[in-house]
Amino acid sequence: MAEAYSTLAKPTILVVEDEAPLMTLLRYNLEKQGFKVDEAADGQEALLRVSEARPDLVLLDWMLPALSGIEVCRQLRRRPNTRDLPIIMVTARTEDQDAVRALDTGADDYIAKPFVMDALLARIRALLRRSGGAATKGTLTYRDLTMDQDSHRVSRGGRALHLGPTEYRLLEFFLQHPGRVFTREQMLDAVWGRDIHVEPRTVDVHIRRLRKAINGEHEVDLIRTVRSAGYALDAEDH
Ligand code: CA
């Protein structure tokens, strides 16, 4: 059973890079580290990819054709749904001033080319940890709900819960982003994966099962249904 979960929370990195050989190298190394990789070769494409499928982190080259990395970063920060999207800016510029400018624009971190791959991977992992991403295993909690990602045990108020693999994945995803509202499409991407086609209504079925599994008779419903939007792990504002 543990095998089925091991690929579940693979974080997706959107690599925005116009140099094809570097893109190939980054994809190879990131995939080797267990990340999913999405690609964009220029700034416009990057914005499009992010709105189609929100990644867990963006590795954003500064020097890009059409729309610069700085401008992409600025635009992502202006949109409410990508305001907190983890962004690492990559650039050939080494002046401290540029680092400051990258961070001022809203990037979370900065690395100069040429970089050592291990250093970049370490920064990616660190940023994902900070942003509550899925790079590390551990214990996730929300209110009286606890998920041990190593043993795959879930409990609420000390009572062991029994979840199917999909409900487990859904709950894990929610626990990584408590309070955040996700559309059915976002949940499908994150939990089922982007390569397979699943009807959005499938999500509703699994949400029902998850609710049934985690909410005892006299317990507060921890999942909030947001009309015409989606769902959130959020016990408030019912
Ligand atoms: Ca470039």
Side-chain angles (χ1 to χ4, degrees), residues 142-143 145 171 174-175 177-181 211 214-215 220-226 231-238:
Y142 179 71
R143 296 214 165 187
L145 199 64
L171 183 60
F174 276 137
L175 283 166
H177 316 274
R180 213 145 94 191
V181 179
R211 271 196 170 119
I214 66 174
N215 297 330
V220 175
D221 186 0
L222 296 181
I223 295 171
R224 181 158 65 100
T225 303
V226 184
Y231 298 100
L233 183 69
D234 191 346
E236 283 149 0
D237 309 313
H238 277 269

PDB file of all heavy atoms in Angstrom, residues 142-143 145 171 174-175 177-181 211 214-215 220-226 231-238:
ATOM      1  N   TYR A 142      -4.092  19.396  11.404  1.00  0.00           N
ATOM      2  CA  TYR A 142      -5.032  20.500  11.305  1.00  0.00           C
ATOM      3  C   TYR A 142      -6.076  20.272  12.385  1.00  0.00           C
ATOM      4  O   TYR A 142      -6.725  19.232  12.408  1.00  0.00           O
ATOM      5  CB  TYR A 142      -5.691  20.546   9.927  1.00  0.00           C
ATOM      6  CG  TYR A 142      -6.706  21.675   9.796  1.00  0.00           C
ATOM      7  CD1 TYR A 142      -6.282  22.994   9.728  1.00  0.00           C
ATOM      8  CD2 TYR A 142      -8.069  21.417   9.797  1.00  0.00           C
ATOM      9  CE1 TYR A 142      -7.184  24.027   9.634  1.00  0.00           C
ATOM     10  CE2 TYR A 142      -8.985  22.453   9.714  1.00  0.00           C
ATOM     11  CZ  TYR A 142      -8.541  23.763   9.631  1.00  0.00           C
ATOM     12  OH  TYR A 142      -9.438  24.779   9.551  1.00  0.00           O
ATOM     13  N   ARG A 143      -6.170  21.241  13.302  1.00  0.00           N
ATOM     14  CA  ARG A 143      -7.045  21.081  14.459  1.00  0.00           C
ATOM     15  C   ARG A 143      -6.751  19.749  15.154  1.00  0.00           C
ATOM     16  O   ARG A 143      -5.617  19.486  15.476  1.00  0.00           O
ATOM     17  CB  ARG A 143      -8.505  21.174  14.016  1.00  0.00           C
ATOM     18  CG  ARG A 143      -8.807  22.567  13.461  1.00  0.00           C
ATOM     19  CD  ARG A 143     -10.200  22.935  13.807  1.00  0.00           C
ATOM     20  NE  ARG A 143     -10.435  24.353  13.616  1.00  0.00           N
ATOM     21  CZ  ARG A 143     -11.544  24.949  13.986  1.00  0.00           C
ATOM     22  NH1 ARG A 143     -12.503  24.271  14.573  1.00  0.00           N
ATOM     23  NH2 ARG A 143     -11.706  26.233  13.786  1.00  0.00           N
ATOM     24  N   LEU A 145      -6.928  16.833  13.802  1.00  0.00           N
ATOM     25  CA  LEU A 145      -6.642  15.839  12.771  1.00  0.00           C
ATOM     26  C   LEU A 145      -5.124  15.699  12.612  1.00  0.00           C
ATOM     27  O   LEU A 145      -4.418  16.695  12.537  1.00  0.00           O
ATOM     28  CB  LEU A 145      -7.259  16.330  11.462  1.00  0.00           C
ATOM     29  CG  LEU A 145      -7.513  15.356  10.330  1.00  0.00           C
ATOM     30  CD1 LEU A 145      -8.531  14.301  10.728  1.00  0.00           C
ATOM     31  CD2 LEU A 145      -8.015  16.124   9.120  1.00  0.00           C
ATOM     32  N   LEU A 171      -6.725  14.230   1.413  1.00  0.00           N
ATOM     33  CA  LEU A 171      -6.532  14.826   2.727  1.00  0.00           C
ATOM     34  C   LEU A 171      -5.113  15.342   2.892  1.00  0.00           C
ATOM     35  O   LEU A 171      -4.887  16.425   3.444  1.00  0.00           O
ATOM     36  CB  LEU A 171      -6.863  13.803   3.827  1.00  0.00           C
ATOM     37  CG  LEU A 171      -6.759  14.338   5.255  1.00  0.00           C
ATOM     38  CD1 LEU A 171      -7.719  15.496   5.483  1.00  0.00           C
ATOM     39  CD2 LEU A 171      -7.031  13.234   6.278  1.00  0.00           C
ATOM     40  N   PHE A 174      -4.906  18.610   1.133  1.00  0.00           N
ATOM     41  CA  PHE A 174      -5.559  19.649   1.938  1.00  0.00           C
ATOM     42  C   PHE A 174      -4.696  20.066   3.126  1.00  0.00           C
ATOM     43  O   PHE A 174      -4.569  21.245   3.437  1.00  0.00           O
ATOM     44  CB  PHE A 174      -6.903  19.147   2.469  1.00  0.00           C
ATOM     45  CG  PHE A 174      -8.036  19.294   1.494  1.00  0.00           C
ATOM     46  CD1 PHE A 174      -8.953  18.268   1.332  1.00  0.00           C
ATOM     47  CD2 PHE A 174      -8.212  20.462   0.774  1.00  0.00           C
ATOM     48  CE1 PHE A 174     -10.019  18.410   0.451  1.00  0.00           C
ATOM     49  CE2 PHE A 174      -9.274  20.606  -0.110  1.00  0.00           C
ATOM     50  CZ  PHE A 174     -10.177  19.572  -0.275  1.00  0.00           C
ATOM     51  N   LEU A 175      -4.129  19.070   3.785  1.00  0.00           N
ATOM     52  CA  LEU A 175      -3.325  19.360   4.977  1.00  0.00           C
ATOM     53  C   LEU A 175      -2.074  20.176   4.643  1.00  0.00           C
ATOM     54  O   LEU A 175      -1.536  20.880   5.492  1.00  0.00           O
ATOM     55  CB  LEU A 175      -2.920  18.058   5.674  1.00  0.00           C
ATOM     56  CG  LEU A 175      -4.021  17.375   6.502  1.00  0.00           C
ATOM     57  CD1 LEU A 175      -3.614  15.949   6.848  1.00  0.00           C
ATOM     58  CD2 LEU A 175      -4.309  18.166   7.771  1.00  0.00           C
ATOM     59  N   HIS A 177      -2.105  22.545   2.527  1.00  0.00           N
ATOM     60  CA  HIS A 177      -2.555  23.921   2.242  1.00  0.00           C
ATOM     61  C   HIS A 177      -3.838  24.229   3.004  1.00  0.00           C
ATOM     62  O   HIS A 177      -4.870  24.496   2.387  1.00  0.00           O
ATOM     63  CB  HIS A 177      -2.831  24.101   0.745  1.00  0.00           C
ATOM     64  CG  HIS A 177      -1.790  23.516  -0.153  1.00  0.00           C
ATOM     65  ND1 HIS A 177      -0.662  24.191  -0.516  1.00  0.00           N
ATOM     66  CD2 HIS A 177      -1.710  22.307  -0.757  1.00  0.00           C
ATOM     67  CE1 HIS A 177       0.075  23.441  -1.308  1.00  0.00           C
ATOM     68  NE2 HIS A 177      -0.535  22.298  -1.476  1.00  0.00           N
ATOM     69  N   PRO A 178      -3.788  24.176   4.335  1.00  0.00           N
ATOM     70  CA  PRO A 178      -5.022  24.384   5.084  1.00  0.00           C
ATOM     71  C   PRO A 178      -5.623  25.763   4.818  1.00  0.00           C
ATOM     72  O   PRO A 178      -4.885  26.746   4.675  1.00  0.00           O
ATOM     73  CB  PRO A 178      -4.597  24.249   6.545  1.00  0.00           C
ATOM     74  CG  PRO A 178      -3.119  24.383   6.543  1.00  0.00           C
ATOM     75  CD  PRO A 178      -2.639  23.954   5.205  1.00  0.00           C
ATOM     76  N   GLY A 179      -6.927  25.801   4.706  1.00  0.00           N
ATOM     77  CA  GLY A 179      -7.621  27.065   4.540  1.00  0.00           C
ATOM     78  C   GLY A 179      -7.718  27.530   3.097  1.00  0.00           C
ATOM     79  O   GLY A 179      -8.489  28.424   2.791  1.00  0.00           O
ATOM     80  N   ARG A 180      -6.936  26.921   2.230  1.00  0.00           N
ATOM     81  CA  ARG A 180      -6.930  27.385   0.841  1.00  0.00           C
ATOM     82  C   ARG A 180      -8.036  26.678   0.050  1.00  0.00           C
ATOM     83  O   ARG A 180      -8.241  25.485   0.196  1.00  0.00           O
ATOM     84  CB  ARG A 180      -5.582  27.084   0.211  1.00  0.00           C
ATOM     85  CG  ARG A 180      -5.195  28.138  -0.801  1.00  0.00           C
ATOM     86  CD  ARG A 180      -3.709  28.359  -0.790  1.00  0.00           C
ATOM     87  NE  ARG A 180      -3.065  27.547  -1.798  1.00  0.00           N
ATOM     88  CZ  ARG A 180      -1.748  27.379  -1.884  1.00  0.00           C
ATOM     89  NH1 ARG A 180      -0.960  27.943  -1.007  1.00  0.00           N
ATOM     90  NH2 ARG A 180      -1.220  26.652  -2.817  1.00  0.00           N
ATOM     91  N   VAL A 181      -8.714  27.428  -0.782  1.00  0.00           N
ATOM     92  CA  VAL A 181      -9.788  26.860  -1.587  1.00  0.00           C
ATOM     93  C   VAL A 181      -9.206  26.343  -2.901  1.00  0.00           C
ATOM     94  O   VAL A 181      -8.485  27.055  -3.588  1.00  0.00           O
ATOM     95  CB  VAL A 181     -10.877  27.909  -1.886  1.00  0.00           C
ATOM     96  CG1 VAL A 181     -11.973  27.309  -2.751  1.00  0.00           C
ATOM     97  CG2 VAL A 181     -11.451  28.462  -0.591  1.00  0.00           C
ATOM     98  N   ARG A 211     -15.240  13.100   3.866  1.00  0.00           N
ATOM     99  CA  ARG A 211     -16.037  13.682   4.954  1.00  0.00           C
ATOM    100  C   ARG A 211     -16.572  12.604   5.885  1.00  0.00           C
ATOM    101  O   ARG A 211     -16.507  12.722   7.094  1.00  0.00           O
ATOM    102  CB  ARG A 211     -17.221  14.443   4.373  1.00  0.00           C
ATOM    103  CG  ARG A 211     -16.933  15.879   4.067  1.00  0.00           C
ATOM    104  CD  ARG A 211     -18.238  16.633   3.885  1.00  0.00           C
ATOM    105  NE  ARG A 211     -17.996  18.059   3.823  1.00  0.00           N
ATOM    106  CZ  ARG A 211     -18.300  18.827   2.775  1.00  0.00           C
ATOM    107  NH1 ARG A 211     -18.862  18.299   1.712  1.00  0.00           N
ATOM    108  NH2 ARG A 211     -18.055  20.115   2.801  1.00  0.00           N
ATOM    109  N   ILE A 214     -13.699  11.219   8.034  1.00  0.00           N
ATOM    110  CA  ILE A 214     -13.041  12.040   9.069  1.00  0.00           C
ATOM    111  C   ILE A 214     -14.001  12.689  10.055  1.00  0.00           C
ATOM    112  O   ILE A 214     -13.609  13.014  11.165  1.00  0.00           O
ATOM    113  CB  ILE A 214     -12.118  13.133   8.470  1.00  0.00           C
ATOM    114  CG1 ILE A 214     -12.908  14.189   7.684  1.00  0.00           C
ATOM    115  CG2 ILE A 214     -11.032  12.523   7.600  1.00  0.00           C
ATOM    116  CD1 ILE A 214     -12.047  15.361   7.213  1.00  0.00           C
ATOM    117  N   ASN A 215     -15.244  12.890   9.651  1.00  0.00           N
ATOM    118  CA  ASN A 215     -16.175  13.568  10.548  1.00  0.00           C
ATOM    119  C   ASN A 215     -17.009  12.570  11.334  1.00  0.00           C
ATOM    120  O   ASN A 215     -17.854  11.883  10.776  1.00  0.00           O
ATOM    121  CB  ASN A 215     -17.125  14.478   9.752  1.00  0.00           C
ATOM    122  CG  ASN A 215     -16.393  15.597   9.030  1.00  0.00           C
ATOM    123  OD1 ASN A 215     -15.353  16.071   9.484  1.00  0.00           O
ATOM    124  ND2 ASN A 215     -16.927  16.004   7.896  1.00  0.00           N
ATOM    125  N   VAL A 220     -17.045  18.599  14.269  1.00  0.00           N
ATOM    126  CA  VAL A 220     -17.164  19.697  13.303  1.00  0.00           C
ATOM    127  C   VAL A 220     -16.710  19.212  11.924  1.00  0.00           C
ATOM    128  O   VAL A 220     -15.722  18.500  11.811  1.00  0.00           O
ATOM    129  CB  VAL A 220     -16.273  20.882  13.753  1.00  0.00           C
ATOM    130  CG1 VAL A 220     -16.261  21.995  12.716  1.00  0.00           C
ATOM    131  CG2 VAL A 220     -16.729  21.400  15.099  1.00  0.00           C
ATOM    132  N   ASP A 221     -17.445  19.583  10.888  1.00  0.00           N
ATOM    133  CA  ASP A 221     -17.045  19.253   9.513  1.00  0.00           C
ATOM    134  C   ASP A 221     -15.807  20.068   9.165  1.00  0.00           C
ATOM    135  O   ASP A 221     -15.831  21.293   9.215  1.00  0.00           O
ATOM    136  CB  ASP A 221     -18.198  19.599   8.558  1.00  0.00           C
ATOM    137  CG  ASP A 221     -17.921  19.148   7.129  1.00  0.00           C
ATOM    138  OD1 ASP A 221     -16.834  18.572   6.881  1.00  0.00           O
ATOM    139  OD2 ASP A 221     -18.793  19.369   6.263  1.00  0.00           O
ATOM    140  N   LEU A 222     -14.708  19.380   8.849  1.00  0.00           N
ATOM    141  CA  LEU A 222     -13.455  20.091   8.592  1.00  0.00           C
ATOM    142  C   LEU A 222     -13.311  20.520   7.140  1.00  0.00           C
ATOM    143  O   LEU A 222     -12.360  21.208   6.777  1.00  0.00           O
ATOM    144  CB  LEU A 222     -12.263  19.207   8.990  1.00  0.00           C
ATOM    145  CG  LEU A 222     -12.156  18.853  10.478  1.00  0.00           C
ATOM    146  CD1 LEU A 222     -10.925  17.998  10.724  1.00  0.00           C
ATOM    147  CD2 LEU A 222     -12.101  20.108  11.338  1.00  0.00           C
ATOM    148  N   ILE A 223     -14.239  20.094   6.299  1.00  0.00           N
ATOM    149  CA  ILE A 223     -14.139  20.452   4.887  1.00  0.00           C
ATOM    150  C   ILE A 223     -15.230  21.445   4.527  1.00  0.00           C
ATOM    151  O   ILE A 223     -16.400  21.244   4.820  1.00  0.00           O
ATOM    152  CB  ILE A 223     -14.224  19.203   3.992  1.00  0.00           C
ATOM    153  CG1 ILE A 223     -13.000  18.326   4.257  1.00  0.00           C
ATOM    154  CG2 ILE A 223     -14.275  19.597   2.512  1.00  0.00           C
ATOM    155  CD1 ILE A 223     -13.056  16.984   3.613  1.00  0.00           C
ATOM    156  N   ARG A 224     -14.800  22.529   3.939  1.00  0.00           N
ATOM    157  CA  ARG A 224     -15.742  23.569   3.572  1.00  0.00           C
ATOM    158  C   ARG A 224     -16.022  23.482   2.077  1.00  0.00           C
ATOM    159  O   ARG A 224     -15.097  23.416   1.262  1.00  0.00           O
ATOM    160  CB  ARG A 224     -15.141  24.937   3.910  1.00  0.00           C
ATOM    161  CG  ARG A 224     -16.051  26.106   3.587  1.00  0.00           C
ATOM    162  CD  ARG A 224     -15.671  27.325   4.396  1.00  0.00           C
ATOM    163  NE  ARG A 224     -14.352  27.838   4.049  1.00  0.00           N
ATOM    164  CZ  ARG A 224     -14.173  28.892   3.239  1.00  0.00           C
ATOM    165  NH1 ARG A 224     -15.196  29.512   2.708  1.00  0.00           N
ATOM    166  NH2 ARG A 224     -12.953  29.323   2.977  1.00  0.00           N
ATOM    167  N   THR A 225     -17.298  23.470   1.715  1.00  0.00           N
ATOM    168  CA  THR A 225     -17.677  23.503   0.302  1.00  0.00           C
ATOM    169  C   THR A 225     -17.858  24.966  -0.085  1.00  0.00           C
ATOM    170  O   THR A 225     -18.592  25.693   0.570  1.00  0.00           O
ATOM    171  CB  THR A 225     -19.006  22.765   0.072  1.00  0.00           C
ATOM    172  OG1 THR A 225     -18.857  21.425   0.557  1.00  0.00           O
ATOM    173  CG2 THR A 225     -19.376  22.730  -1.403  1.00  0.00           C
ATOM    174  N   VAL A 226     -17.143  25.375  -1.108  1.00  0.00           N
ATOM    175  CA  VAL A 226     -17.264  26.756  -1.564  1.00  0.00           C
ATOM    176  C   VAL A 226     -18.048  26.737  -2.874  1.00  0.00           C
ATOM    177  O   VAL A 226     -17.569  26.228  -3.883  1.00  0.00           O
ATOM    178  CB  VAL A 226     -15.877  27.405  -1.772  1.00  0.00           C
ATOM    179  CG1 VAL A 226     -16.024  28.863  -2.158  1.00  0.00           C
ATOM    180  CG2 VAL A 226     -15.038  27.269  -0.512  1.00  0.00           C
ATOM    181  N   TYR A 231     -13.355  23.263  -2.855  1.00  0.00           N
ATOM    182  CA  TYR A 231     -13.321  22.831  -1.456  1.00  0.00           C
ATOM    183  C   TYR A 231     -12.079  23.359  -0.752  1.00  0.00           C
ATOM    184  O   TYR A 231     -11.066  23.650  -1.384  1.00  0.00           O
ATOM    185  CB  TYR A 231     -13.302  21.305  -1.385  1.00  0.00           C
ATOM    186  CG  TYR A 231     -14.515  20.641  -1.981  1.00  0.00           C
ATOM    187  CD1 TYR A 231     -14.454  20.103  -3.261  1.00  0.00           C
ATOM    188  CD2 TYR A 231     -15.702  20.536  -1.259  1.00  0.00           C
ATOM    189  CE1 TYR A 231     -15.564  19.473  -3.815  1.00  0.00           C
ATOM    190  CE2 TYR A 231     -16.809  19.911  -1.804  1.00  0.00           C
ATOM    191  CZ  TYR A 231     -16.738  19.378  -3.087  1.00  0.00           C
ATOM    192  OH  TYR A 231     -17.820  18.765  -3.629  1.00  0.00           O
ATOM    193  N   ALA A 232     -12.185  23.409   0.562  1.00  0.00           N
ATOM    194  CA  ALA A 232     -11.033  23.795   1.380  1.00  0.00           C
ATOM    195  C   ALA A 232     -11.067  23.008   2.675  1.00  0.00           C
ATOM    196  O   ALA A 232     -12.137  22.620   3.149  1.00  0.00           O
ATOM    197  CB  ALA A 232     -11.076  25.287   1.686  1.00  0.00           C
ATOM    198  N   LEU A 233      -9.893  22.776   3.238  1.00  0.00           N
ATOM    199  CA  LEU A 233      -9.816  22.229   4.588  1.00  0.00           C
ATOM    200  C   LEU A 233      -9.943  23.429   5.504  1.00  0.00           C
ATOM    201  O   LEU A 233      -9.010  24.218   5.649  1.00  0.00           O
ATOM    202  CB  LEU A 233      -8.483  21.523   4.814  1.00  0.00           C
ATOM    203  CG  LEU A 233      -8.321  20.852   6.182  1.00  0.00           C
ATOM    204  CD1 LEU A 233      -9.243  19.652   6.309  1.00  0.00           C
ATOM    205  CD2 LEU A 233      -6.887  20.416   6.395  1.00  0.00           C
ATOM    206  N   ASP A 234     -11.113  23.616   6.049  1.00  0.00           N
ATOM    207  CA  ASP A 234     -11.392  24.839   6.772  1.00  0.00           C
ATOM    208  C   ASP A 234     -12.661  24.631   7.596  1.00  0.00           C
ATOM    209  O   ASP A 234     -13.734  24.438   7.057  1.00  0.00           O
ATOM    210  CB  ASP A 234     -11.610  25.965   5.757  1.00  0.00           C
ATOM    211  CG  ASP A 234     -11.639  27.337   6.422  1.00  0.00           C
ATOM    212  OD1 ASP A 234     -11.749  27.403   7.656  1.00  0.00           O
ATOM    213  OD2 ASP A 234     -11.565  28.334   5.688  1.00  0.00           O
ATOM    214  N   ALA A 235     -12.496  24.678   8.888  1.00  0.00           N
ATOM    215  CA  ALA A 235     -13.640  24.392   9.756  1.00  0.00           C
ATOM    216  C   ALA A 235     -14.465  25.641  10.040  1.00  0.00           C
ATOM    217  O   ALA A 235     -15.515  25.562  10.644  1.00  0.00           O
ATOM    218  CB  ALA A 235     -13.166  23.769  11.056  1.00  0.00           C
ATOM    219  N   GLU A 236     -13.951  26.781   9.610  1.00  0.00           N
ATOM    220  CA  GLU A 236     -14.645  28.032   9.923  1.00  0.00           C
ATOM    221  C   GLU A 236     -15.489  28.519   8.753  1.00  0.00           C
ATOM    222  O   GLU A 236     -15.438  27.974   7.661  1.00  0.00           O
ATOM    223  CB  GLU A 236     -13.622  29.096  10.327  1.00  0.00           C
ATOM    224  CG  GLU A 236     -13.126  28.887  11.734  1.00  0.00           C
ATOM    225  CD  GLU A 236     -11.704  29.350  11.899  1.00  0.00           C
ATOM    226  OE1 GLU A 236     -11.109  29.829  10.927  1.00  0.00           O
ATOM    227  OE2 GLU A 236     -11.202  29.211  13.018  1.00  0.00           O
ATOM    228  N   ASP A 237     -16.234  29.573   9.002  1.00  0.00           N
ATOM    229  CA  ASP A 237     -17.026  30.247   7.979  1.00  0.00           C
ATOM    230  C   ASP A 237     -18.035  29.349   7.292  1.00  0.00           C
ATOM    231  O   ASP A 237     -18.249  29.447   6.098  1.00  0.00           O
ATOM    232  CB  ASP A 237     -16.133  30.880   6.903  1.00  0.00           C
ATOM    233  CG  ASP A 237     -15.048  31.737   7.510  1.00  0.00           C
ATOM    234  OD1 ASP A 237     -15.382  32.540   8.402  1.00  0.00           O
ATOM    235  OD2 ASP A 237     -13.918  31.574   7.141  1.00  0.00           O
ATOM    236  N   HIS A 238     -18.671  28.469   8.045  1.00  0.00           N
ATOM    237  CA  HIS A 238     -19.676  27.621   7.418  1.00  0.00           C
ATOM    238  C   HIS A 238     -20.959  28.409   7.159  1.00  0.00           C
ATOM    239  O   HIS A 238     -21.278  29.293   7.912  1.00  0.00           O
ATOM    240  CB  HIS A 238     -19.986  26.417   8.307  1.00  0.00           C
ATOM    241  CG  HIS A 238     -18.973  25.325   8.087  1.00  0.00           C
ATOM    242  ND1 HIS A 238     -19.143  24.326   7.159  1.00  0.00           N
ATOM    243  CD2 HIS A 238     -17.779  25.104   8.665  1.00  0.00           C
ATOM    244  CE1 HIS A 238     -18.083  23.533   7.196  1.00  0.00           C
ATOM    245  NE2 HIS A 238     -17.259  23.977   8.084  1.00  0.00           N
TER     246      HIS A 238
END
